[in-house]
Amino acid sequence: MKSLLTFPKGGVHPPECKAQTQGLGIEIMPVPDELELILGQHIGAPCTATVAKRDEVIEGAVIGEVQKGLGVPLHSPVAGKIKNLATSVHAVRVSAPSITIEVDREAAPVQYQKVDWQQLAGADLLAKIHDAGIIGIGGAGFPTHVKLNPPADSPVDTLVLNGAECEPYITADHRQMLENPGQIVEGAKIILKILGITRCFIGIENNKPDAIREMTKAAEQASGGEYSITIQPLQVKYPQGSEKQLIQAITGRKVPAMALPSAVGVVVQNVTTAKAIYDAVVYGKPLYEKVVTIAGKGIARQANLQVKIGTKVRDIVKYLGGLQPGLAKVVMGGPMMGFAVSSLDVPVTKTTSAVLFLTEDEIDTKPHSQCIRCGWCLDACPMGLEPKEIGIYVEANRAQDTAQFGVFDCFECGSCAYVCPAKRPLVQFIRLAKMKAKRQ
Ligand code: SF4
Ligand code: SF4
């Protein structure tokens, strides 16, 4: 066994809560009667609808395009009819423009044909990734074709695939690594060809020994000759899966403040994004499905569900047998970085990795109090920031003056809030501080 790597500063060990779903294989959820697709699914400019009410669409058809700026197209996950162009409930932005599609249950599923991607040039591979609407599935939703085209003055020599999946409860990437290891590794080879490099590390936390085993087998089959693909086991420590921490753990390189990974010669992609790249390049299949972990004591049945993008949480609840008494909070994403939602009408997007149904005993409802200056948040912060000062400044109506404490380097991992004995809502303070400091 290789030695277990990790990042040097900060980090926390929240209860993993993965046992409930890590053994549950990917299950395909039947398509509900209608889907709601949010037009802004990625970082950058949102799509503009390219369809009108009552238009008929086929599975995989483009229904939204970015007119200007950074972005990728949006595709219909089903054959059907456009019912409406309106707004949907959104996990972060409250509401967002969307397209509602009524599903045609008579339509035959599209059969995608396999192509030999090795014959394609890097530029053609990149175009396929853009055209298939691929974005960073595991994180913030940055368009993948842009990430795979780093600036010429930042030469890249290493690809890191992120299989850490350090957020509690979530096991969707774990299941992908167990069930589709060959496709993930093939996706890595496609990325290596685009970047014109040969070295890839796949970082996996050591609480997934079965995934490490399966991925090692697939990587050994694919390595040799042109490419070197190595599985790197990692210590279990949150936020091991954040880009900068993962790069430092595996390569020892430290990404400077406000810089991109390419500044230290690295590109990071999530393992499930690599699988989506495989689907897009080898089969020409757009990104319109997602494996989502459904967990928590507040739902009748937990699962790793493959759903169409645009499936409402309400339909997932119905399929899994309904809600349980004592449900206190529904969270889109993990408990550390996810967002609580107040409506079950919120639809799954390309970046939804989990929906958690948490009961009273799974959440902390104690009210917050004054900072007692214990310094635990400083010790927990993997970026070496001063979350306590940011919180104190926000409460003193001086949010705009928090850049001095590195507020823009904060990636909202929640480690500081997790350890705070005063239960201070440090991430909410930080989000507010960023907003006001940006305006300033
Ligand atoms: S949320 Fe921000 S300030 Fe808090 S620990 Fe994470 S990076 Fe540091
Ligand atoms: S952990 Fe909480 S109480 Fe302790 S210094 Fe940080 S903000 Fe204050």
Side-chain angles (χ1 to χ4, degrees):
M1 167 67 91
K2 291 196 186 100
S3 60
L4 300 178
L5 302 179
T6 192
F7 53 96
K9 185 161 180 46
V12 292
H13 294 92
E16 292 177 26
C17 303
K18 290 176 186 274
Q20 303 94 309
T21 57
Q22 67 189 6
L24 303 176
I26 297 170
E27 173 182 342
I28 298 174
M29 178 178 154
V31 185
D33 291 336
E34 63 178 44
L35 302 174
E36 275 187 19
L37 287 110
I38 305 253
L39 282 160
Q41 304 236 353
H42 50 256
I43 284 185
C47 286
T48 301
T50 53
V51 287
K53 197 170 170 178
R54 287 187 281 281
D55 279 359
E56 307 265 349
V57 290
I58 59 168
E59 181 181 336
V62 172
I63 55 171
E65 290 267 26
V66 172
Q67 304 288 328
K68 202 175 162 199
L70 188 77
V72 292
L74 182 66
H75 302 79
S76 175
V78 289
K81 189 188 268 186
I82 305 300
K83 184 180 171 190
N84 218 350
L85 303 180
T87 55
S88 291
V89 183
H90 191 278
V92 184
R93 300 193 296 264
V94 185
S95 71
S98 66
I99 301 173
T100 306
I101 305 174
E102 260 173 7
V103 177
D104 174 1
R105 299 207 169 275
E106 305 302 317
V110 171
Q111 301 297 327
Y112 292 101
Q113 302 301 319
K114 193 171 182 179
V115 301
D116 180 6
W117 65 268
Q118 313 260 15
Q119 304 304 319
L120 299 174
D124 297 328
L125 297 170
L126 262 188
K128 275 179 169 272
I129 289 168
H130 165 270
D131 294 349
I134 309 291
I135 59 171
I137 294 173
F142 197 81
T144 300
H145 68 285
V146 180
K147 229 175 161 187
L148 297 186
N149 194 10
D153 57 356
S154 301
V156 164
D157 63 9
T158 305
L159 168 66
V160 171
L161 282 199
N162 183 0
E165 201 166 52
C166 59
E167 268 263 7
Y169 285 92
I170 309 179
T171 57
D173 285 350
H174 186 172
R175 293 311 312 180
Q176 290 280 15
M177 290 189 281
L178 282 181
E179 298 180 38
N180 300 303
Q183 297 174 10
I184 293 169
V185 168
E186 196 75 4
K189 284 167 69 177
I190 294 168
I191 300 171
L192 289 171
K193 177 164 181 180
I194 291 170
L195 294 171
I197 61 174
T198 57
R199 185 168 70 152
C200 169
F201 294 101
I202 305 180
I204 306 174
E205 278 195 346
N206 200 37
N207 57 357
K208 300 181 254 302
D210 48 358
I212 291 174
R213 227 172 17 248
E214 291 306 312
M215 290 294 293
T216 300
K217 271 192 243 161
E220 280 169 1
Q221 279 167 16
S223 289
E226 221 178 323
Y227 299 117
S228 153
I229 300 177
T230 309
I231 306 303
Q232 178 57 60
L234 303 165
Q235 280 180 33
V236 179
K237 185 166 74 164
Y238 181 87
Q240 187 71 81
S242 85
E243 265 188 359
K244 290 184 176 179
Q245 280 58 42
L246 190 64
I247 290 170
Q248 197 168 6
I250 293 180
T251 68
R253 301 176 192 173
K254 189 164 183 231
V255 182
M258 308 296 284
L260 295 172
S262 58
V264 294
V266 181
V267 163
V268 180
Q269 289 290 334
N270 171 270
V271 285
T272 300
T273 307
K275 158 80 167 61
I277 287 172
Y278 170 88
D279 290 340
V281 168
V282 178
Y283 285 99
K285 183 178 174 185
L287 175 57
Y288 56 67
E289 290 169 345
K290 185 79 209 282
V291 177
V292 181
T293 298
I294 312 295
K297 293 184 195 163
I299 183 105
R301 183 161 76 81
Q302 306 185 65
N304 276 305
L305 277 191
Q306 180 176 301
V307 300
K308 302 285 185 191
I309 306 296
T311 300
K312 285 188 200 164
V313 169
R314 184 176 302 286
D315 289 315
I316 293 175
V317 169
K318 194 169 155 200
Y319 174 67
L320 292 174
L323 299 171
Q324 292 292 91
L327 175 71
K329 207 180 206 183
V330 179
V331 177
M332 298 293 278
M336 301 294 283
M337 292 188 77
F339 289 85
V341 291
S342 54
S343 166
L344 295 181
D345 287 327
V346 61
V348 166
T349 67
K350 293 180 184 181
T351 53
T352 306
S353 49
V355 186
L356 306 183
F357 297 85
L358 304 175
T359 51
E360 291 286 352
D361 61 328
E362 292 177 288
I363 59 173
D364 193 344
T365 52
K366 286 189 218 82
H368 78 269
S369 53
Q370 290 300 308
C371 172
I372 57 169
R373 298 186 181 269
C374 62
W376 290 3
C377 55
L378 277 74
D379 293 340
C381 180
M383 299 300 290
L385 309 181
E386 296 189 57
K388 84 168 164 44
E389 294 299 338
I390 298 171
I392 290 168
Y393 267 59
V394 169
E395 283 185 320
N397 281 328
R398 293 187 61 193
Q400 66 279 9
D401 300 329
T402 51
Q404 58 183 309
F405 304 117
V407 72
F408 291 114
D409 281 327
C410 167
F411 60 99
E412 300 174 17
C413 70
S415 299
C416 51
Y418 176 75
V419 296
C420 176
K423 300 293 159 209
R424 289 172 63 71
L426 294 169
V427 178
Q428 283 86 335
F429 285 149
I430 288 165
R431 284 183 188 140
L432 191 70
K434 277 184 188 170
M435 219 165 63
K436 294 207 170 168
K438 234 183 239 165
R439 271 196 217 134
Q440 179 88 342

